[in-house]
Amino acid sequence: MNYLKTAILLAGLTALFMGVGYLIGGGSGAIIALLIAAATNLFAYWNSDRMVLSMYGAHEVDARAAPDLVGLVATLAARAGLPMPRVFLMDNPQPNAFATGRNPENAAVAVTTGLVQSLSREELSGVIAHELAHVKNHDTLLMTITATIAGAISMLAQFGMFFGGHRDNNNGPGIIGSIAMMILAPLGAMLVQMAISRTREYAADDLGARIAGQPMWLASALVKIAGAAHEIPNEEAERNPATAHLFIINPLSGRGMDSLFSTHPSTENRIAELQRLAAEMGAGTAPPLRPRRGPWSVPRGSGAAPRRPWG
């Protein structure tokens, strides 16, 4: 059902994009709009991961720089049947994380220093498993496509308002209808994008909990992350709000309302689903994680003080 809803929403977003193109240039405008969408998505397909990682100043870490983190990612990736993704650390006190990459073979998982310093090993495993679920479900590519199309709709709508829309079609909506469409289309695109994002978050919670083996590890992490997001600003996210849907919890406000304008489901609703899943799976289903070996070490140059998050 989640995949069907996502397909319908994505088809609606594409139709909305072509509709704006039609209002600007008639039938040829719709075709041009579709070509623009293909070109922008092709660019995003190859470059979106590098762009978003650079945007957040993420730096790659290896087993020597962050052995606990990289080892945990490797364990969970193997459990999920995925290739080992690249691991990145963001020097940000707000606990949060996201995954990116065009496919599982070119995936990356990025976490903040605030995340690894504030969660237990079990909670962190729940978060990383959630991000790996996005990779396994190919959500990283899907969300890049939806964000690109939504952005292109806003761009075309502004272009259409400037030129007044397609006036040669006597059976069309007319100038008033065209202007209304130009105003409402970006809003509709934003709502569809957010609906897709919320649908994929529930799916990633479910699969991620199964990968980790214990749904309540992720539930406990969500409570901590959502609470901290209220208190600790993420300046990079504030400057780039279009990327908010990538994170496990909204980095802009951490609001827990399942509202029309939220990129994420409410934390309460997500926890309720995880509790239901935990009851379904039964207690004691989580395979043991390897013990932590030595204290946590933050890579040199990160600007963060070393701490031991996994006591």
Side-chain angles (χ1 to χ4, degrees), residues 94-179:
Q94 183 191 84
N96 229 317
F98 66 82
T100 186
R102 60 184 180 272
N103 54 41
E105 290 71 32
N106 295 275
V109 173
V111 302
T112 65
T113 52
L115 187 80
V116 296
Q117 292 171 359
S118 62
L119 300 187
S120 70
R121 183 177 178 83
E122 290 75 20
E123 290 165 340
L124 185 58
S125 70
V127 171
I128 292 173
H130 170 98
E131 298 306 331
L132 291 174
H134 277 308
V135 174
K136 194 173 182 69
N137 289 336
H138 295 271
D139 292 338
T140 50
L141 177 60
L142 173 65
M143 294 314 301
T144 296
I145 291 173
T146 57
T148 301
I149 295 178
I153 287 175
S154 297
M155 178 190 69
L156 278 182
Q158 293 174 2
F159 183 81
M161 289 187 70
F162 181 77
F163 286 99
H166 177 56
R167 294 185 174 88
D168 296 331
N169 184 2
N170 294 327
N171 296 321
I175 186 63
I176 301 300
S178 296
I179 292 176

Coordinates of all heavy atoms in Angstrom, one line a residue, residues 94-179:
Q94 N 23.2 19.2 17.0 CA 21.8 18.7 16.9 C 21.9 17.2 16.5 O 22.4 16.9 15.5 CB 20.9 19.4 15.9 CG 19.5 18.9 15.9 CD 18.7 19.5 14.7 OE1 18.7 18.9 13.7 NE2 18.0 20.6 15.0
P95 N 21.3 16.3 17.3 CA 21.3 14.9 17.0 C 20.4 14.7 15.8 O 19.2 14.9 15.8 CB 20.8 14.2 18.2 CG 20.1 15.2 19.0 CD 20.7 16.5 18.7
N96 N 21.0 14.1 14.7 CA 20.2 13.9 13.5 C 21.0 13.1 12.5 O 22.2 12.9 12.7 CB 19.7 15.2 12.8 CG 18.2 15.2 12.5 OD1 17.7 14.2 12.0 ND2 17.6 16.3 12.8
A97 N 20.4 12.6 11.4 CA 21.0 11.7 10.5 C 20.2 11.7 9.2 O 19.0 12.0 9.2 CB 21.2 10.3 11.0
F98 N 20.9 11.4 8.1 CA 20.2 11.2 6.8 C 21.1 10.2 6.0 O 22.2 10.0 6.2 CB 19.9 12.5 6.1 CG 21.2 13.2 5.6 CD1 21.8 12.8 4.4 CD2 21.7 14.3 6.3 CE1 22.9 13.5 3.9 CE2 22.8 15.0 5.8 CZ 23.4 14.6 4.6
A99 N 20.4 9.7 5.0 CA 21.1 8.8 4.0 C 20.9 9.5 2.6 O 19.9 10.2 2.3 CB 20.5 7.4 4.0
T100 N 21.9 9.2 1.7 CA 21.8 9.8 0.4 C 22.5 8.8 -0.6 O 23.1 7.8 -0.2 CB 22.4 11.2 0.3 OG1 22.2 11.8 -1.0 CG2 23.9 11.1 0.6
G101 N 22.4 9.1 -1.9 CA 23.0 8.2 -2.9 C 22.0 7.7 -3.9 O 20.8 7.5 -3.5
R102 N 22.4 7.5 -5.1 CA 21.5 7.2 -6.2 C 21.1 5.7 -6.1 O 20.1 5.3 -6.7 CB 22.1 7.5 -7.5 CG 23.4 6.8 -7.9 CD 23.9 7.3 -9.2 NE 25.2 6.7 -9.6 CZ 26.4 7.1 -9.2 NH1 26.5 8.1 -8.5 NH2 27.5 6.5 -9.6
N103 N 21.8 4.8 -5.5 CA 21.5 3.4 -5.4 C 22.3 2.8 -4.2 O 23.2 3.5 -3.7 CB 21.8 2.7 -6.7 CG 23.2 2.9 -7.2 OD1 24.1 2.9 -6.4 ND2 23.4 3.1 -8.5
P104 N 22.0 1.6 -3.8 CA 22.7 1.0 -2.7 C 24.2 0.9 -2.9 O 25.0 0.9 -1.9 CB 22.0 -0.4 -2.5 CG 20.6 -0.2 -3.1 CD 20.8 0.8 -4.2
E105 N 24.6 0.7 -4.1 CA 26.0 0.6 -4.4 C 26.8 1.9 -4.3 O 28.0 2.0 -4.2 CB 26.3 0.1 -5.8 CG 25.9 -1.4 -6.0 CD 24.4 -1.6 -6.0 OE1 23.6 -0.7 -6.4 OE2 23.9 -2.7 -5.5
N106 N 26.1 3.0 -4.3 CA 26.7 4.4 -4.1 C 26.0 5.2 -3.0 O 25.8 6.4 -3.1 CB 26.5 5.1 -5.5 CG 27.3 4.5 -6.6 OD1 28.5 4.7 -6.8 ND2 26.7 3.7 -7.4
A107 N 25.7 4.5 -1.9 CA 25.0 5.1 -0.8 C 26.0 5.7 0.2 O 27.1 5.3 0.3 CB 24.1 4.1 -0.1
A108 N 25.5 6.7 1.0 CA 26.2 7.3 2.1 C 25.3 7.5 3.2 O 24.1 7.8 3.1 CB 26.8 8.6 1.7
V109 N 25.8 7.2 4.4 CA 25.0 7.5 5.7 C 25.8 8.6 6.4 O 27.0 8.5 6.7 CB 24.9 6.3 6.6 CG1 24.3 6.6 7.9 CG2 24.1 5.2 5.9
A110 N 25.1 9.7 6.8 CA 25.7 10.8 7.4 C 25.0 11.0 8.8 O 23.8 11.1 8.9 CB 25.6 12.1 6.6
V111 N 25.8 11.2 9.8 CA 25.2 11.4 11.2 C 26.0 12.6 11.8 O 27.1 12.9 11.4 CB 25.4 10.2 12.1 CG1 24.8 9.0 11.5 CG2 26.9 9.9 12.3
T112 N 25.3 13.3 12.7 CA 25.9 14.4 13.3 C 26.7 14.0 14.6 O 26.4 12.9 15.1 CB 24.8 15.5 13.8 OG1 24.0 14.8 14.8 CG2 24.0 15.9 12.6
T113 N 27.6 14.8 15.0 CA 28.4 14.5 16.2 C 27.4 14.5 17.4 O 27.6 13.8 18.3 CB 29.5 15.6 16.4 OG1 28.9 16.9 16.3 CG2 30.6 15.5 15.4
G114 N 26.4 15.4 17.3 CA 25.4 15.4 18.4 C 24.7 14.1 18.5 O 24.3 13.7 19.7
L115 N 24.5 13.4 17.4 CA 23.8 12.1 17.5 C 24.6 11.0 18.2 O 24.2 10.4 19.1 CB 23.4 11.6 16.1 CG 22.6 10.4 16.0 CD1 21.1 10.7 16.2 CD2 22.7 9.6 14.7
V116 N 25.9 10.9 17.7 CA 26.7 9.8 18.3 C 27.1 10.1 19.8 O 27.4 9.2 20.5 CB 28.0 9.6 17.5 CG1 27.6 9.1 16.1 CG2 28.8 10.8 17.4
Q117 N 27.0 11.4 20.2 CA 27.4 11.7 21.5 C 26.2 11.7 22.5 O 26.4 11.7 23.7 CB 28.0 13.1 21.6 CG 29.4 13.1 20.9 CD 29.9 14.5 20.7 OE1 29.3 15.5 21.1 NE2 31.1 14.7 20.1
S118 N 25.0 11.5 22.0 CA 23.8 11.6 22.9 C 23.0 10.3 23.0 O 22.2 10.2 23.8 CB 22.9 12.7 22.4 OG 22.4 12.5 21.1
L119 N 23.3 9.4 22.0 CA 22.5 8.1 22.0 C 23.3 7.0 22.5 O 24.6 7.0 22.4 CB 22.0 7.8 20.6 CG 21.1 8.8 19.9 CD1 20.6 8.2 18.6 CD2 20.0 9.3 20.7
S120 N 22.6 6.0 23.0 CA 23.3 4.7 23.4 C 23.6 4.0 22.1 O 23.1 4.3 21.0 CB 22.4 3.9 24.3 OG 21.2 3.4 23.5
R121 N 24.4 2.9 22.2 CA 24.7 2.1 21.0 C 23.4 1.5 20.4 O 23.3 1.4 19.2 CB 25.7 1.0 21.4 CG 26.1 0.1 20.2 CD 27.2 -0.9 20.7 NE 27.6 -1.8 19.6 CZ 28.5 -1.5 18.7 NH1 29.1 -0.3 18.7 NH2 28.8 -2.4 17.8
E122 N 22.5 1.0 21.3 CA 21.3 0.4 20.8 C 20.4 1.5 20.0 O 19.9 1.2 19.0 CB 20.5 -0.2 21.9 CG 21.1 -1.4 22.5 CD 22.3 -1.1 23.4 OE1 22.5 0.0 23.9 OE2 23.1 -2.0 23.7
E123 N 20.3 2.7 20.6 CA 19.5 3.7 20.0 C 20.2 4.1 18.6 O 19.5 4.3 17.6 CB 19.4 4.9 20.9 CG 18.5 4.7 22.1 CD 18.7 5.7 23.2 OE1 19.7 6.4 23.2 OE2 17.8 5.8 24.1
L124 N 21.5 4.3 18.6 CA 22.2 4.6 17.4 C 22.0 3.6 16.3 O 21.9 3.9 15.2 CB 23.7 4.9 17.7 CG 24.5 5.4 16.5 CD1 23.9 6.7 16.0 CD2 25.9 5.6 16.9
S125 N 22.0 2.3 16.8 CA 21.8 1.2 15.8 C 20.4 1.3 15.2 O 20.2 1.0 14.0 CB 22.0 -0.1 16.4 OG 21.0 -0.4 17.4
G126 N 19.4 1.7 16.0 CA 18.1 1.9 15.4 C 18.0 3.0 14.4 O 17.4 2.9 13.4
V127 N 18.7 4.1 14.7 CA 18.8 5.2 13.7 C 19.5 4.8 12.4 O 19.0 5.1 11.3 CB 19.5 6.5 14.3 CG1 19.7 7.6 13.3 CG2 18.6 7.0 15.5
I128 N 20.6 4.2 12.5 CA 21.4 3.8 11.3 C 20.6 2.8 10.5 O 20.6 2.8 9.3 CB 22.8 3.3 11.7 CG1 23.6 4.4 12.3 CG2 23.5 2.7 10.5 CD1 24.9 4.0 12.9
A129 N 19.9 1.8 11.2 CA 19.1 0.9 10.5 C 18.0 1.5 9.8 O 17.6 1.1 8.6 CB 18.6 -0.2 11.5
H130 N 17.4 2.6 10.3 CA 16.4 3.4 9.6 C 16.9 4.0 8.4 O 16.3 3.9 7.3 CB 15.9 4.5 10.6 CG 15.0 5.5 9.9 ND1 13.6 5.4 9.9 CD2 15.3 6.6 9.2 CE1 13.1 6.4 9.3 NE2 14.1 7.2 8.8
E131 N 18.1 4.6 8.4 CA 18.7 5.2 7.2 C 19.1 4.1 6.2 O 18.9 4.3 5.0 CB 19.9 6.0 7.6 CG 19.7 7.1 8.6 CD 18.6 8.1 8.1 OE1 18.4 8.2 6.8 OE2 17.9 8.7 8.9
L132 N 19.5 3.0 6.7 CA 19.8 1.9 5.7 C 18.6 1.3 5.1 O 18.6 0.9 3.9 CB 20.6 0.7 6.4 CG 22.0 1.0 6.9 CD1 22.5 -0.1 7.7 CD2 22.9 1.3 5.7
A133 N 17.4 1.4 5.8 CA 16.2 1.0 5.2 C 15.8 2.0 4.1 O 15.3 1.5 3.0 CB 15.1 1.0 6.3
H134 N 16.1 3.3 4.2 CA 15.9 4.2 3.1 C 16.7 3.8 1.9 O 16.2 3.9 0.7 CB 16.2 5.6 3.5 CG 15.2 6.3 4.3 ND1 13.9 6.5 3.8 CD2 15.2 7.0 5.5 CE1 13.2 7.2 4.7 NE2 14.0 7.5 5.7
V135 N 17.9 3.4 2.1 CA 18.8 3.0 1.0 C 18.2 1.7 0.4 O 18.1 1.6 -0.9 CB 20.2 2.7 1.5 CG1 21.1 2.1 0.4 CG2 20.8 4.0 2.1
K136 N 17.8 0.7 1.2 CA 17.3 -0.5 0.6 C 16.0 -0.3 -0.1 O 15.8 -1.0 -1.1 CB 17.1 -1.5 1.8 CG 16.9 -3.0 1.4 CD 16.8 -3.9 2.5 CE 16.7 -5.4 2.1 NZ 17.9 -5.9 1.4
N137 N 15.2 0.6 0.3 CA 13.9 0.9 -0.4 C 14.1 1.9 -1.5 O 13.1 2.3 -2.2 CB 12.9 1.5 0.6 CG 12.4 0.5 1.6 OD1 12.4 -0.7 1.4 ND2 11.9 1.0 2.8
H138 N 15.3 2.3 -1.8 CA 15.6 3.3 -2.9 C 14.9 4.6 -2.6 O 14.6 5.4 -3.6 CB 15.2 2.7 -4.2 CG 16.1 1.5 -4.6 ND1 17.2 1.6 -5.3 CD2 15.9 0.2 -4.4 CE1 17.7 0.4 -5.5 NE2 16.9 -0.5 -5.0
D139 N 14.7 4.9 -1.4 CA 14.0 6.2 -1.0 C 15.0 7.4 -1.3 O 14.5 8.5 -1.6 CB 13.6 6.2 0.4 CG 12.5 5.3 0.7 OD1 11.8 4.9 -0.2 OD2 12.3 4.9 1.9
T140 N 16.3 7.2 -1.2 CA 17.2 8.3 -1.4 C 17.1 8.9 -2.8 O 17.1 10.1 -3.0 CB 18.6 7.8 -1.2 OG1 18.9 6.6 -1.9 CG2 18.9 7.5 0.3
L141 N 16.9 8.0 -3.8 CA 16.7 8.5 -5.2 C 15.3 9.0 -5.4 O 15.1 10.1 -6.0 CB 16.9 7.3 -6.2 CG 16.6 7.6 -7.6 CD1 17.6 8.7 -8.1 CD2 16.8 6.3 -8.5
L142 N 14.3 8.4 -4.8 CA 12.9 8.9 -4.9 C 12.8 10.3 -4.3 O 12.2 11.1 -5.0 CB 12.0 7.9 -4.2 CG 10.5 8.4 -4.1 CD1 9.9 8.4 -5.4 CD2 9.7 7.4 -3.1
M143 N 13.3 10.5 -3.2 CA 13.2 11.8 -2.6 C 14.0 12.9 -3.3 O 13.6 14.1 -3.4 CB 13.6 11.8 -1.1 CG 12.7 10.9 -0.2 SD 11.0 11.2 -0.5 CE 10.8 12.9 0.0
T144 N 15.1 12.5 -4.0 CA 15.8 13.5 -4.8 C 14.9 13.8 -6.0 O 14.8 15.0 -6.4 CB 17.1 12.8 -5.3 OG1 18.0 12.6 -4.2 CG2 17.8 13.8 -6.3
I145 N 14.3 12.9 -6.6 CA 13.4 13.1 -7.8 C 12.2 14.0 -7.4 O 11.9 15.0 -8.1 CB 12.9 11.8 -8.4 CG1 14.1 11.0 -9.0 CG2 11.8 12.1 -9.4 CD1 13.7 9.6 -9.5
T146 N 11.6 13.7 -6.3 CA 10.4 14.5 -5.9 C 10.8 16.0 -5.6 O 10.1 16.9 -5.9 CB 9.7 13.9 -4.7 OG1 10.6 13.7 -3.6 CG2 9.1 12.6 -5.1
A147 N 12.0 16.1 -4.9 CA 12.4 17.4 -4.5 C 12.8 18.2 -5.8 O 12.5 19.4 -5.9 CB 13.6 17.4 -3.6
T148 N 13.4 17.5 -6.8 CA 13.8 18.2 -8.0 C 12.5 18.7 -8.8 O 12.5 19.8 -9.3 CB 14.6 17.3 -8.9 OG1 15.8 16.9 -8.1 CG2 15.1 17.9 -10.2
I149 N 11.5 17.8 -8.9 CA 10.3 18.1 -9.7 C 9.6 19.3 -8.9 O 9.1 20.2 -9.6 CB 9.4 16.9 -9.8 CG1 10.1 15.9 -10.7 CG2 8.1 17.3 -10.5 CD1 9.3 14.6 -10.9
A150 N 9.5 19.2 -7.6 CA 8.8 20.2 -6.9 C 9.5 21.6 -7.1 O 8.8 22.6 -7.2 CB 8.7 19.9 -5.4
G151 N 10.8 21.6 -7.0 CA 11.5 22.8 -7.3 C 11.3 23.3 -8.7 O 11.2 24.5 -8.9
A152 N 11.3 22.4 -9.6 CA 11.1 22.8 -11.0 C 9.7 23.4 -11.2 O 9.5 24.4 -12.0 CB 11.3 21.7 -12.0
I153 N 8.7 22.9 -10.5 CA 7.3 23.4 -10.6 C 7.3 24.8 -10.1 O 6.7 25.7 -10.8 CB 6.3 22.5 -9.9 CG1 6.1 21.2 -10.6 CG2 5.0 23.3 -9.7 CD1 5.3 20.2 -9.8
S154 N 7.9 25.1 -9.0 CA 8.0 26.5 -8.5 C 8.7 27.4 -9.5 O 8.2 28.5 -9.7 CB 8.7 26.5 -7.2 OG 8.0 25.7 -6.2
M155 N 9.8 26.9 -10.1 CA 10.5 27.8 -11.1 C 9.6 28.1 -12.3 O 9.5 29.2 -12.7 CB 11.8 27.0 -11.5 CG 12.6 27.8 -12.6 SD 13.9 26.8 -13.2 CE 12.9 25.5 -14.2
L156 N 8.9 27.0 -12.8 CA 8.1 27.2 -14.0 C 6.9 28.1 -13.6 O 6.5 28.9 -14.5 CB 7.5 25.9 -14.5 CG 8.5 25.1 -15.4 CD1 7.7 23.8 -15.8 CD2 8.9 25.9 -16.6
A157 N 6.3 28.0 -12.4 CA 5.2 28.8 -12.0 C 5.6 30.3 -12.0 O 4.8 31.2 -12.5 CB 4.7 28.4 -10.7
Q158 N 6.8 30.6 -11.5 CA 7.2 32.0 -11.5 C 7.4 32.5 -12.9 O 7.1 33.6 -13.2 CB 8.5 32.1 -10.7 CG 8.4 31.8 -9.2 CD 9.7 31.8 -8.5 OE1 10.7 32.0 -9.1 NE2 9.7 31.5 -7.2
F159 N 8.0 31.6 -13.8 CA 8.2 32.0 -15.2 C 6.8 32.3 -15.8 O 6.6 33.2 -16.6 CB 8.9 30.8 -15.9 CG 9.2 31.1 -17.3 CD1 10.3 31.9 -17.7 CD2 8.4 30.6 -18.3 CE1 10.6 32.1 -19.0 CE2 8.7 30.8 -19.7 CZ 9.8 31.6 -20.0
G160 N 5.8 31.4 -15.5 CA 4.5 31.6 -16.1 C 3.8 32.9 -15.7 O 3.1 33.5 -16.4
M161 N 3.9 33.2 -14.4 CA 3.3 34.4 -13.9 C 4.0 35.7 -14.6 O 3.3 36.6 -14.8 CB 3.5 34.5 -12.4 CG 2.7 33.5 -11.6 SD 2.7 33.8 -9.8 CE 1.9 35.4 -9.7
F162 N 5.3 35.6 -14.9 CA 6.0 36.7 -15.5 C 5.4 36.9 -16.9 O 5.3 38.1 -17.3 CB 7.5 36.4 -15.5 CG 8.3 37.5 -16.1 CD1 8.5 38.7 -15.4 CD2 8.8 37.4 -17.4 CE1 9.3 39.7 -16.0 CE2 9.5 38.4 -18.0 CZ 9.8 39.6 -17.3
F163 N 5.2 35.8 -17.6 CA 4.7 35.9 -19.0 C 3.2 35.8 -19.2 O 2.7 35.9 -20.3 CB 5.4 34.9 -19.9 CG 6.8 35.1 -20.1 CD1 7.8 34.5 -19.4 CD2 7.2 36.0 -21.1 CE1 9.2 34.8 -19.6 CE2 8.6 36.3 -21.4 CZ 9.5 35.7 -20.6
G164 N 2.5 35.6 -18.1 CA 1.0 35.7 -18.1 C 0.4 34.4 -18.6 O -0.8 34.3 -18.8
G165 N 1.1 33.3 -18.8 CA 0.5 32.0 -19.2 C 0.2 31.9 -20.6 O 0.5 32.8 -21.4
H166 N -0.3 30.8 -21.1 CA -0.7 30.5 -22.5 C -2.0 31.1 -22.8 O -3.0 30.7 -22.3 CB -0.7 29.0 -22.6 CG -1.1 28.6 -24.0 ND1 -0.4 29.0 -25.1 CD2 -2.1 27.7 -24.5 CE1 -0.9 28.4 -26.2 NE2 -1.9 27.7 -25.8
R167 N -2.0 32.1 -23.7 CA -3.2 32.9 -24.0 C -3.9 32.4 -25.3 O -5.0 32.9 -25.6 CB -2.9 34.4 -24.2 CG -2.4 35.0 -22.9 CD -2.2 36.5 -23.1 NE -1.9 37.2 -21.9 CZ -0.7 37.4 -21.4 NH1 0.3 36.9 -22.0 NH2 -0.5 38.1 -20.3
D168 N -3.3 31.5 -26.0 CA -3.8 31.1 -27.3 C -4.9 30.0 -27.3 O -5.5 29.7 -28.3 CB -2.7 30.6 -28.2 CG -1.7 31.8 -28.5 OD1 -2.1 32.9 -28.5 OD2 -0.5 31.4 -28.7
N169 N -5.1 29.5 -26.1 CA -6.0 28.4 -26.0 C -7.4 28.9 -25.5 O -7.5 29.2 -24.3 CB -5.5 27.3 -25.0 CG -6.4 26.1 -24.9 OD1 -7.4 26.1 -25.6 ND2 -6.0 25.2 -24.0
N170 N -8.4 29.1 -26.4 CA -9.6 29.7 -26.0 C -10.4 28.8 -25.1 O -11.3 29.3 -24.4 CB -10.5 30.0 -27.3 CG -9.8 31.0 -28.2 OD1 -9.2 32.0 -27.7 ND2 -10.0 30.9 -29.5
N171 N -10.1 27.5 -25.1 CA -10.8 26.6 -24.2 C -10.1 26.4 -22.9 O -10.5 25.6 -22.1 CB -11.0 25.2 -24.9 CG -11.9 25.4 -26.2 OD1 -12.8 26.1 -26.2 ND2 -11.5 24.6 -27.2
G172 N -9.0 27.1 -22.7 CA -8.2 27.0 -21.5 C -8.9 27.7 -20.3 O -10.0 28.2 -20.4
P173 N -8.2 27.7 -19.2 CA -8.8 28.3 -18.0 C -8.8 29.8 -18.0 O -9.4 30.4 -17.1 CB -7.8 27.8 -16.9 CG -6.5 27.7 -17.6 CD -6.9 27.2 -19.0
G174 N -8.2 30.5 -19.0 CA -8.2 31.9 -19.0 C -7.1 32.5 -18.2 O -6.4 31.8 -17.4
I175 N -7.0 33.8 -18.3 CA -5.9 34.5 -17.6 C -6.0 34.4 -16.1 O -5.0 34.1 -15.4 CB -5.7 36.0 -18.0 CG1 -4.5 36.6 -17.4 CG2 -7.0 36.7 -17.6 CD1 -3.2 36.0 -17.9
I176 N -7.2 34.5 -15.6 CA -7.4 34.4 -14.1 C -7.1 33.0 -13.6 O -6.4 32.8 -12.6 CB -8.9 34.8 -13.7 CG1 -9.2 36.2 -14.2 CG2 -9.1 34.6 -12.2 CD1 -8.3 37.2 -13.5
G177 N -7.6 32.0 -14.4 CA -7.4 30.6 -14.0 C -5.9 30.3 -14.1 O -5.4 29.5 -13.3
S178 N -5.2 30.8 -15.1 CA -3.8 30.6 -15.3 C -3.0 31.1 -14.1 O -2.1 30.5 -13.5 CB -3.3 31.2 -16.6 OG -3.9 30.6 -17.7
I179 N -3.4 32.4 -13.7 CA -2.7 33.0 -12.5 C -2.9 32.2 -11.3 O -2.0 31.9 -10.5 CB -3.1 34.4 -12.4 CG1 -2.6 35.3 -13.6 CG2 -2.6 35.0 -11.1 CD1 -3.1 36.7 -13.5

